[in-house]
Amino acid sequence: KKNKKLNDILKHNETLLKKRDYIFNNMLENMPIGIVLVSIESHYLIKVNKYAIDLIGTPIDNFKNGFVFSTSKYWYIKNSNTIYPQNDLPYYSAYNGQQTTIDNLVINFPNGTKKNIFMAGAPIYDKENNIWGVEVCLYDITTIESQREIIDAKNMNVYSALLDKNFKLIEDYCALT
């Protein structure tokens, strides 16, 4: 009777854990941000969601034998022809216990598409405060960047117009004196 009660409790706990994992996995899959979780010891991928795969441009099969965030010939520093240095990615900083972000990564896909990527990396600690894994979040900021460029251009036009107006006022004043 005691063993049956213990088995019932264990089955109940197992069911709760499976439900929690299902909810967690669904939540990660439906987030509009790329999530990559990697074990620091084995370098094995714990979790990567579809959004991250789409942003990185790498099929999930490429992660089966361990995971390395390597920059490819398609990853550039924004506004340059320089390939993004692998060691400057937040993923590698997280291995050293640092939480960092970048917003100057551009991925130039072979089909001509370009994506500006925001990337954040952070270490994941266990209860003994040892680094257990690495979390990387990715977000496509292409639309935000293009809107920022439009705003900057409009601000520059307004600034130029103000300068022109001020120069005209100065010219008019100088003509009067």
Side-chain angles (χ1 to χ4, degrees):
K1 196 171 185 173
K2 223 179 195 181
N3 283 343
K4 183 177 179 345
K5 194 168 195 166
L6 183 61
N7 281 338
D8 289 344
I9 291 170
L10 288 174
K11 282 182 184 180
H12 177 71
N13 286 343
E14 186 177 324
T15 301
L16 289 176
L17 285 173
K18 284 181 181 178
K19 185 175 183 178
R20 184 202 62 189
D21 287 347
Y22 176 80
I23 291 169
F24 179 73
N25 286 327
N26 266 339
M27 181 186 71
L28 286 179
E29 277 308 315
N30 293 314
M31 291 179 76
I33 189 167
I35 303 289
V36 179
L37 303 173
V38 180
S39 163
I40 199 162
E41 278 186 29
S42 65
H43 296 278
Y44 277 98
L45 188 66
I46 297 165
K47 179 69 181 165
V48 61
N49 67 356
K50 183 178 179 335
Y51 193 92
I53 293 167
D54 291 345
L55 284 181
I56 296 168
T58 303
I60 191 69
D61 291 346
N62 291 4
F63 301 129
K64 286 187 177 171
N65 296 319
F67 180 82
V68 177
F69 240 122
S70 61
T71 57
S72 74
K73 60 184 177 180
Y74 305 114
W75 291 30
Y76 291 89
I77 294 175
K78 184 180 174 186
N79 298 325
S80 79
N81 292 323
T82 305
I83 292 177
Y84 212 97
Q86 185 170 336
N87 290 336
D88 290 350
L89 293 172
Y91 174 78
Y92 290 97
S93 300
Y95 266 89
N96 297 318
Q98 298 171 335
Q99 184 172 340
T100 58
T101 62
I102 58 171
D103 64 356
N104 64 340
L105 170 63
V106 176
I107 300 178
N108 295 331
F109 291 90
N111 67 3
T113 304
K114 290 183 180 183
K115 292 183 181 177
N116 294 336
I117 305 296
F118 171 85
M119 183 186 290
I124 302 170
Y125 294 96
D126 62 16
K127 59 184 171 185
E128 283 85 36
N129 209 29
N130 298 311
I131 299 175
W132 172 84
V134 170
E135 172 189 16
V136 176
C137 298
L138 304 127
Y139 190 70
D140 183 351
I141 58 172
T142 306
T143 303
I144 295 167
E145 286 294 307
S146 64
Q147 289 171 349
R148 184 186 305 172
E149 288 169 10
I150 290 168
I151 290 168
D152 287 347
K154 285 181 179 178
N155 286 341
M156 186 55 79
N157 288 339
V158 169
Y159 180 70
S160 294
L162 286 173
L163 280 179
D164 290 346
K165 188 175 183 177
N166 285 337
F167 282 129
K168 178 71 174 129
L169 289 172
I170 292 169
E171 284 176 350
D172 291 347
Y173 177 77
C174 289
L176 292 174
T177 57

